[in-house]
Amino acid sequence: MLAAQGDAVDAINPIQALSEAERIDRLRLIRSDNVGPRTFRALLDRFGTARAALERLPDLARRGGAARTGRICSADEAKAELAASRKLGVSWLAPGEDGYPPRLGTIDDAPPLLAVRGAITTAMRPMIAIVGSRNASGAGLKFAGQLARELGEAGFVVISGLARGIDQSAHRASVASGTVAVLAGGHDCIYPPEHEDLLAAILDQQGVAISEMPLGHEPRARDFPRRNRLISGASLGVVVVEAAHRSGSLITARMAAEQGREVFAVPGSPLDPRTAGTNALIKQGATMVTEAEDVLAALRPIIGPAVAALRQGASGFAMEDDEDGPPDVASADARARIVALLGPVPVPVDD
Amino acid sequence: MLAAQGDAVDAINPIQALSEAERIDRLRLIRSDNVGPRTFRALLDRFGTARAALERLPDLARRGGAARTGRICSADEAKAELAASRKLGVSWLAPGEDGYPPRLGTIDDAPPLLAVRGAITTAMRPMIAIVGSRNASGAGLKFAGQLARELGEAGFVVISGLARGIDQSAHRASVASGTVAVLAGGHDCIYPPEHEDLLAAILDQQGVAISEMPLGHEPRARDFPRRNRLISGASLGVVVVEAAHRSGSLITARMAAEQGREVFAVPGSPLDPRTAGTNALIKQGATMVTEAEDVLAALRPIIGPAVAALRQGASGFAMEDDEDGPPDVASADARARIVALLGPVPVPVDD
């Protein structure tokens, strides 16, 4: 696959902001029939620009043996979508552009254009996903909130799916520190509808909502697994708080593993079916999480020593094994900036 | 240490039953001041017989710089203890004698004489320890019972400490398949006293009680950790079902690890202090247990393929990954005999 390499290069060497013409062309290309993220990337690699790829599409379809040429999105349609998006405060961004979560740009099937609404700076910070059951236990909801609060205080952005249950708890507890909601539908089709207030609170406080779907797209069942790859792809690791067997959160965990992200799971009683999935993940090698420090300890080798330094100042952690040292006077805000400066994207040895 | 090697040889080459004279001498030696299991073993290795060691004790104490010679147990005292024990149906057995749990004979500080009451055949079968909190949750008690029942059906003897809570549940659920209670006091000082009925039921059904303490010895706090090494030492592995931080069950787990036994732990919610200890064990590398199969799978490489064969016939296990094959017609009784025949003691390569 050329796609993976191309994505990685984009993410490491941020592209200039796209010209309006190129953004329109790219939106046309990804909106055209038979073009998904992987095909888009292959076409761009082969033909250099979206415009050149659009011109070759009919010919390619014929040579590929397609019974009929797929529909190609017109420039007018693309312009109309961009205009409608702007009215909602939604920008369509390419991997490498400011506001496109940097890690998300590194996955094989990264959205060629991502609809981003909210604070650009938050979208650029290191993220940890917290996901889990819609019908979670009281303990699960409480733990998700506690974990989200502590990871937020440690400088991480909490990313989740805006669903009922664990997602909701994780978002609510990290509204103040910055949280990202990943939508399965378009930005004007919030699901579940009763979470529009939660999303408004998220956006009010420097949070972000992202989607790869067009405006007006009502999420269908199959859109949720597809959406889940964005949650894991944008994050350093995914914490599954409660999950029954065969639940959607396990799909997110599987995608995280495939994408090379850390997988974390919170244990529970063997007699509680709501934690059968998380216990199974731990048996399969996921890192067991009973406190935020378990997540931070696993991420230190990835994101660097600054996370270790941050920890002393973060409230709510067990301090038992802290070494002696000068008191940490950094504010949560300064900590967040330090983590943001570190950047979540691996840097080539040559740099 | 000579002790470890000596123990292992004893266990592999079962000794003849002791003569009455040798049993009396050994009881005198272990009841004498400043002689514990390790010293006993070293003395026996050095002088060949308990009688020879007894004769050298005063001289050894002087040369060791002892301020005063320790008291040496008289032959009359030892005879009286053996007689009183027999009246209760208690035999004092040496490692390698029939009725002394074979694995227990292999630990460094195995009791030189063990007071055994109950069915000799059960004491010789492979054992798995199930231990945990006295004040366990309802779920913990239920899981302990379920696990004990399934491991019993798979042919294992369940060994535990006759305590309230998890121990009690594990014993009750394995009365029918055979269970061993390890006492911290003498056989006539059952603790807690309200478990005398449980012990009677255990002994009624081919179960066993063991203790290294003299008759009349009321258990003190420090006797329980000492007792715990017998639970782990006699078993192939220890399953900790629920344990708070710093609980006695964690001592049993630590001893199991030191003795080279498998350590298993049952997970629980991070918000439940009753499972903080078991979750910590899993983080430290204990095998996570959510069903009996987790224990059986870990023990198969130790005890051999027969356990795998047993599994098909054992009720209550997930059968999902069972391979096709002829139906298993072996009764639980036959399975138990097969496991017993396998023997839990490693056999030297030469044999």
Side-chain angles (χ1 to χ4, degrees):
Chain A
M1 290 290 298
L2 290 170
Q5 200 180 359
D7 285 340
V9 170
D10 272 357
I12 291 162
N13 304 311
I15 59 175
Q16 298 282 333
L18 296 182
S19 68
E20 181 70 5
E22 177 68 7
R23 197 177 313 276
I24 291 165
D25 288 341
R26 290 197 184 191
L27 190 58
R28 290 181 62 197
L29 186 57
I30 190 63
R31 289 280 176 270
S32 294
D33 282 356
N34 307 318
V35 179
R38 283 192 169 85
T39 303
F40 181 99
R41 174 63 54 190
L43 290 170
L44 209 64
D45 281 347
R46 181 153 166 211
F47 299 111
T49 65
R51 172 64 57 94
L54 283 165
E55 284 165 2
R56 301 296 297 277
L57 266 190
D59 188 40
L60 288 169
R62 267 192 303 277
R63 283 162 55 192
R68 53 179 187 83
T69 305
R71 212 186 67 85
I72 295 180
C73 172
S74 73
D76 284 346
E77 287 173 89
K79 284 178 193 167
E81 184 173 352
L82 288 179
S85 298
R86 280 196 188 106
K87 276 193 189 160
L88 280 176
V90 171
S91 305
W92 287 91
L93 302 173
E97 285 196 296
D98 262 3
Y100 193 112
R103 286 222 149 216
L104 183 54
T106 69
I107 68 171
D108 281 356
D109 51 355
L113 285 175
L114 183 73
V116 180
R117 183 179 178 194
I120 298 292
T121 52
T122 301
M124 301 304 283
R125 285 169 50 200
M127 299 178 191
I128 297 173
I130 299 179
V131 300
S133 300
R134 289 188 299 276
N135 44 3
S137 70
L141 297 174
K142 184 177 169 190
F143 186 80
Q146 192 172 303
L147 186 69
R149 194 171 304 108
E150 293 180 359
L151 294 176
E153 286 167 357
F156 291 95
V157 169
V158 170
I159 180 169
S160 193
L162 201 71
R164 299 185 186 96
I166 298 295
D167 289 20
Q168 177 183 12
S169 279
H171 282 306
R172 280 205 192 285
S174 56
V175 161
S177 52
T179 184
V180 175
V182 187
L183 312 175
H187 275 276
D188 51 355
C189 303
I190 300 309
Y191 183 86
E194 67 267 31
H195 282 187
E196 283 179 9
D197 286 352
L198 173 57
L199 181 59
I202 289 171
L203 295 172
D204 259 3
Q205 304 244 348
Q206 302 290 306
V208 180
I210 63 176
S211 168
E212 64 179 326
M213 291 306 188
L215 290 190
H217 181 88
E218 290 286 351
R220 303 149 300 178
R222 68 176 180 203
D223 294 326
F224 291 91
R226 179 178 171 168
R227 181 274 313 264
N228 291 353
R229 86 184 196 286
L230 305 187
I231 296 177
S232 54
S235 66
L236 289 153
V238 173
V239 185
V240 186
V241 176
E242 275 190 0
H245 272 312
R246 300 166 194 275
S247 70
S249 305
L250 298 184
I251 297 173
T252 312
R254 201 189 69 229
M255 287 171 171
E258 289 171 5
Q259 292 164 345
R261 308 298 187 247
E262 297 299 306
V263 180
F264 301 93
V266 179
S269 164
L271 298 182
D272 187 347
R274 293 171 295 197
T275 53
T278 49
N279 284 345
L281 284 175
I282 296 168
K283 284 188 193 174
Q284 290 158 25
T287 300
M288 185 165 117
V289 174
T290 63
E291 54 179 355
E293 173 57 18
D294 296 323
V295 178
L296 299 177
L299 294 182
R300 257 173 225 131
I302 301 170
I303 202 166
V307 177
L310 296 177
R311 195 189 143 215
Q312 282 201 322
S315 63
F317 295 147
M319 307 292 269
E320 288 167 25
D321 57 348
D322 272 352
E323 290 158 353
D324 290 333
D328 181 4
V329 294
S331 68
D333 196 50
R335 287 196 299 274
R337 281 201 305 274
I338 295 167
V339 173
L341 285 171
L342 283 170
V345 178
V347 174
V349 182
D350 298 347
D351 288 12
Chain B
M1 290 289 299
L2 289 170
Q5 199 178 1
D7 285 342
V9 169
D10 272 359
I12 291 161
N13 305 311
I15 60 175
Q16 299 281 331
L18 297 181
S19 69
E20 182 69 5
E22 177 68 6
R23 199 178 311 277
I24 291 166
D25 288 341
R26 289 197 185 190
L27 190 58
R28 289 181 63 198
L29 186 56
I30 190 62
R31 289 280 178 270
S32 295
D33 282 356
N34 307 318
V35 179
R38 284 192 168 85
T39 302
F40 181 101
R41 175 61 56 190
L43 290 170
L44 209 65
D45 282 347
R46 182 152 166 210
F47 300 111
T49 65
R51 172 65 57 95
L54 283 166
E55 285 165 1
R56 301 297 297 275
L57 267 190
D59 188 40
L60 287 170
R62 265 193 304 278
R63 281 163 54 193
R68 54 181 187 82
T69 306
R71 212 185 67 85
I72 295 179
C73 174
S74 73
D76 285 347
E77 287 174 89
K79 285 178 193 169
E81 184 172 354
L82 288 179
S85 298
R86 281 197 188 106
K87 277 194 188 160
L88 280 176
V90 171
S91 305
W92 286 92
L93 303 173
E97 287 195 296
D98 262 3
Y100 193 113
R103 286 222 149 216
L104 182 55
T106 69
I107 67 171
D108 281 356
D109 50 355
L113 285 176
L114 183 73
V116 180
R117 183 178 179 193
I120 298 291
T121 51
T122 301
M124 301 304 283
R125 284 167 52 199
M127 301 179 190
I128 296 173
I130 300 180
V131 300
S133 299
R134 289 188 300 276
N135 43 4
S137 70
L141 296 173
K142 184 177 170 190
F143 186 81
Q146 191 172 304
L147 186 69
R149 195 171 304 107
E150 294 181 359
L151 293 176
E153 286 166 356
F156 290 94
V157 170
V158 171
I159 181 169
S160 193
L162 201 69
R164 300 185 185 95
I166 298 296
D167 289 19
Q168 178 182 13
S169 279
H171 283 306
R172 281 205 191 284
S174 57
V175 161
S177 53
T179 184
V180 174
V182 187
L183 311 176
H187 275 278
D188 50 357
C189 304
I190 300 308
Y191 183 86
E194 66 267 31
H195 282 186
E196 282 178 7
D197 286 353
L198 173 58
L199 181 59
I202 289 171
L203 295 172
D204 259 3
Q205 305 243 349
Q206 301 290 306
V208 180
I210 62 176
S211 168
E212 63 179 327
M213 292 304 189
L215 291 188
H217 182 89
E218 290 286 351
R220 303 149 300 179
R222 67 177 181 205
D223 293 327
F224 291 90
R226 179 177 172 169
R227 181 274 314 266
N228 291 354
R229 87 186 194 287
L230 306 186
I231 297 177
S232 54
S235 65
L236 289 153
V238 173
V239 185
V240 186
V241 176
E242 274 191 359
H245 272 312
R246 299 166 194 274
S247 71
S249 305
L250 298 184
I251 296 174
T252 312
R254 201 190 66 226
M255 287 171 171
E258 287 172 6
Q259 293 163 346
R261 307 298 186 248
E262 297 298 306
V263 180
F264 302 94
V266 179
S269 164
L271 297 183
D272 187 347
R274 293 170 297 197
T275 53
T278 50
N279 285 345
L281 284 175
I282 297 167
K283 284 188 193 174
Q284 290 158 25
T287 300
M288 184 164 117
V289 174
T290 62
E291 54 180 356
E293 172 57 19
D294 296 323
V295 177
L296 299 176
L299 294 182
R300 258 174 224 130
I302 299 170
I303 201 165
V307 177
L310 296 177
R311 194 188 144 217
Q312 282 201 322
S315 64
F317 296 149
M319 307 295 268
E320 287 166 27
D321 57 347
D322 271 352
E323 289 157 354
D324 289 333
D328 181 4
V329 293
S331 68
D333 197 49
R335 286 196 298 275
R337 282 201 303 274
I338 295 168
V339 173
L341 285 170
L342 282 169
V345 177
V347 174
V349 182
D350 297 347
D351 288 12

